[in-house]
Amino acid sequence: MKAAAPMELIVVERDPAGVAVVTINRPKSLNSLTRPMIVSLAAAIRRLDADPAVGVVVITGRGRAFCSGVDLTAAEEVFKGDVKDVVADPVVQMERCRKPIIGAINGYAVTAGFEIALACDILIAGKDAKFVDTHTRFGIFPSWGLSQKLPRIIGINRAREVSLSGMAITAEMAEKWGLVNHVVDNGEVLKKAKEVAQAILRNNRDMVLRYKSVINDGSKLGLGHALALEKERAHSYYNGMTKEQFADMQKFISLRSSKPSSKL
């Protein structure tokens, strides 16, 4: 049987409403990543970011795992690749993506899979989801941000224990610690992710992109500088609006206020 081509292992599906679902599609290997899959995932994110028909991206894995990390049988090819090659780096491309990215975490998110999850803007987890950092277990140095992002989300002491001991973070712990937004039944993960995506798409798409940007850029700064960044971008935004755009804003607000509120 002919081996699957790299792009078949990263499946992209778009719906007419503007939600694109990216599926890591290697279930027999728990969606472990080879070098061609990594390159393909980065390329898929770049294309979706550039596609004006796409408003929200959902990333998930097929089968029992979200992503079990790098395929260690191909470790040399992956780790001796150019780690500074940002074009082929899916995490860098996710961080650069202007569109909101929702992670639908089914099963295990291990090491590189954990890092892909951390690059998402919103996380939905199934009840059996587990987040595991095995860098220290296998002697792998982190390069997709786990050592820096996790402490900022769950606290430095918890992150030390997770990464230095290799303990798993269960879905219940992840929700309690603020790592995931929602925990749902295992079979409802993708459905919930799409519901959140649809709620986002009902809003002003331009402002969704701007708001994501100011949150993410501001999170890298101290509070004073982040507040100044918000003020600067607000000033630039409103100064650039025409009377017609203000009228359109008022029209949009009046239309929204006449509709029933979202269940979210």
Side-chain angles (χ1 to χ4, degrees):
M1 182 179 293
K2 186 179 178 181
M7 286 306 296
E8 293 176 324
L9 300 178
I10 303 296
V11 178
V12 179
E13 300 168 290
R14 297 169 172 84
D15 73 18
V19 179
V21 178
V22 179
T23 303
I24 303 172
N25 186 34
R26 199 180 177 215
K28 291 183 179 179
S29 299
L30 298 179
N31 297 322
S32 60
L33 299 170
T34 62
R35 177 69 180 171
M37 289 173 69
I38 289 170
V39 173
S40 295
L41 179 57
I45 297 298
R46 285 200 313 277
R47 286 194 299 274
L48 293 174
D49 188 34
D51 186 345
V54 173
V56 180
V57 178
V58 175
I59 297 184
T60 192
R62 194 176 308 282
R64 297 186 296 115
F66 172 72
C67 173
S68 61
V70 168
D71 183 344
L72 294 181
T73 65
E76 184 173 1
E77 181 186 12
V78 173
F79 297 126
K80 285 195 174 181
D82 186 359
V83 296
K84 294 182 179 180
D85 181 7
V86 297
V87 172
D89 186 326
V91 169
V92 170
Q93 295 306 317
M94 290 172 70
E95 291 169 345
R96 290 181 174 182
C97 182
R98 297 165 303 141
K99 318 288 177 63
I101 300 177
I102 302 172
I105 312 299
N106 47 305
Y108 281 91
V110 181
T111 312
F114 196 168
E115 290 174 305
I116 290 170
L118 288 175
C120 296
D121 300 298
I122 297 167
L123 290 177
I124 315 298
K127 289 182 178 178
D128 290 339
K130 288 183 174 64
F131 300 84
V132 188
D133 182 2
T134 63
H135 282 104
T136 57
R137 185 178 305 168
F138 294 109
I140 301 168
F141 203 94
S143 61
W144 281 358
L146 209 159
S147 69
Q148 301 306 308
K149 292 178 181 177
L150 189 63
R152 287 165 169 79
I153 297 170
I154 68 171
I156 193 165
N157 286 352
R158 285 174 177 155
R160 285 193 190 107
E161 183 177 8
V162 168
S163 296
L164 302 185
S165 74
M167 68 172 276
I169 302 176
T170 65
E172 181 182 4
M173 293 162 66
E175 186 176 39
K176 181 180 178 181
W177 292 352
L179 178 60
V180 304
N181 299 73
H182 303 279
V183 174
V184 298
D185 289 338
N186 296 323
E188 299 292 311
V189 177
L190 188 56
K191 177 183 177 183
K192 180 65 176 179
K194 289 180 177 179
E195 286 178 0
V196 174
Q198 291 294 342
I200 293 170
L201 289 173
R202 284 192 286 271
N203 294 322
N204 181 295
R205 291 203 184 184
D206 176 64
M207 186 51 66
V208 165
L209 304 187
R210 292 174 184 273
Y211 213 129
K212 169 182 167 170
S213 176
V214 76
I215 289 173
N216 289 1
D217 292 347
S219 70
K220 301 168 188 174
L221 306 172
L223 179 59
H225 288 98
L227 290 171
L229 175 69
E230 180 192 71
K231 189 74 71 177
E232 176 186 336
R233 291 192 184 178
H235 180 75
S236 174
Y237 177 74
Y238 289 120
N239 271 356
M241 287 184 70
T242 64
K243 289 183 178 181
E244 290 76 14
Q245 286 174 313
F246 276 108
D248 287 342
M249 179 192 293
Q250 292 170 333
K251 182 179 178 181
F252 183 80
I253 292 169
S254 64
L255 287 172
R256 285 302 304 271
S257 62
S258 66
K259 294 180 180 180
S261 61
S262 164
K263 62 183 177 180
L264 292 175

